[in-house]
Amino acid sequence: MPSKKVLDQKIKLVADLKEKISNACAAVIVQYEGINVEDDTKLRRELRENNVAYTVVKNTMLSRAAKDAGIEGVDGVLHGTTAIALSNDDYVAAAKILCNFAKDHDFFKVKLGIIDNEVVDASKVIELSKLPPKEVLIAQVLGGLNAPISGFATVLNGTLKGLVVALNAIAEKQSA
C-alpha cells in the first residue's frame, strides 16, 4: 500500500492530466519506445514551438484521467510506453508533427487521438495530419467564395465593353 504522500501525488497528477485533456481541443497518444535522446529533443522542441504540450505518462494514470474527463475507449491502447501530446488551440499541429516523426522512425507509433473529447483511431489521426495548415484552408475557402463574384464582374465588364464598342460604332456611322 503506497504512503499517503505518494497517493496524494498520484491523485494530483491524475487531476492535472484530466484538466489538461479536458481543456485540449486535440490530443495524440503515441508509443515512443526506442527513441534516442537526440530525436526526443528535436521532437519536443518542434512540439513546443507549435504550442503543443508533450508528456510521458503512466498508462494507469492516463486511463484514470481519461475516465475522469468522461472519455471512453482509451484503455485498449494503453500498453507499453505511452506519451501524450496536447494542443489547446490547433487541431492539426500535434497530429502533423507526430505523424511526420513516425514516418521516419519505425519504433514510434501513433496509438490514437482525442478530438474535442471524442476518441479517434490512429488512421483518423493520420488523415488529420495530412490537412493543409489553417491559413491555406482559409485561403481556399475565401477563394471559393470569391470565384463567383469575380466571374460575375468579368461577365458584366464584358457586357459593358460590348455596349461601348457598339455605341462607338453607331457614333462613327452617324458622323460619316
Side-chain angles (χ1 to χ4, degrees), residues 26-31 62 66 71-78 83-85 95 98 109-115 118-126:
V28 179
I29 298 173
V30 296
Q31 177 177 329
L62 182 56
I71 299 169
E72 298 295 326
V74 175
D75 289 340
V77 298
L78 296 180
I84 186 167
L98 294 172
K109 304 270 189 261
V110 173
K111 292 181 176 184
L112 62 80
I114 302 170
I115 300 171
E118 295 293 324
V119 174
V120 295
D121 63 0
S123 63
K124 297 286 185 199
V125 174
I126 292 168

Side-chain angles (χ1 to χ4, degrees), residues 78-137:
L78 296 180
H79 49 81
T81 57
T82 303
I84 186 167
L86 300 153
S87 177
N88 291 337
D89 54 359
D90 190 348
Y91 286 89
V92 182
K96 191 175 286 290
I97 293 167
L98 294 172
C99 287
N100 285 339
F101 187 82
K103 278 186 220 171
D104 300 332
H105 302 88
D106 294 333
F107 54 84
F108 196 85
K109 304 270 189 261
V110 173
K111 292 181 176 184
L112 62 80
I114 302 170
I115 300 171
D116 288 332
N117 294 327
E118 295 293 324
V119 174
V120 295
D121 63 0
S123 63
K124 297 286 185 199
V125 174
I126 292 168
E127 286 178 31
L128 183 65
S129 74
K130 293 177 183 176
L131 284 176
K134 181 179 178 181
E135 295 78 18
V136 173
L137 289 173

Side-chain angles (χ1 to χ4, degrees), residues 40-84:
D40 188 50
T41 304
K42 287 178 185 175
L43 176 63
R44 286 175 184 267
R45 182 181 310 119
E46 186 176 359
L47 288 165
R48 214 175 12 257
E49 288 169 356
N50 288 280
N51 296 321
V52 177
Y54 180 77
T55 309
V56 173
V57 293
K58 289 189 172 193
N59 293 325
T60 54
M61 300 296 157
L62 182 56
S63 173
R64 289 181 188 198
K67 282 181 184 159
D68 289 350
I71 299 169
E72 298 295 326
V74 175
D75 289 340
V77 298
L78 296 180
H79 49 81
T81 57
T82 303
I84 186 167

Side-chain angles (χ1 to χ4, degrees), residues 119-168:
V119 174
V120 295
D121 63 0
S123 63
K124 297 286 185 199
V125 174
I126 292 168
E127 286 178 31
L128 183 65
S129 74
K130 293 177 183 176
L131 284 176
K134 181 179 178 181
E135 295 78 18
V136 173
L137 289 173
I138 291 171
Q140 289 173 344
V141 168
L142 291 176
L145 292 173
N146 195 25
I149 296 167
S150 174
F152 184 65
T154 303
V155 168
L156 286 178
N157 191 26
T159 304
L160 289 175
K161 185 178 178 185
L163 178 64
V164 169
V165 169
L167 288 175
N168 193 26

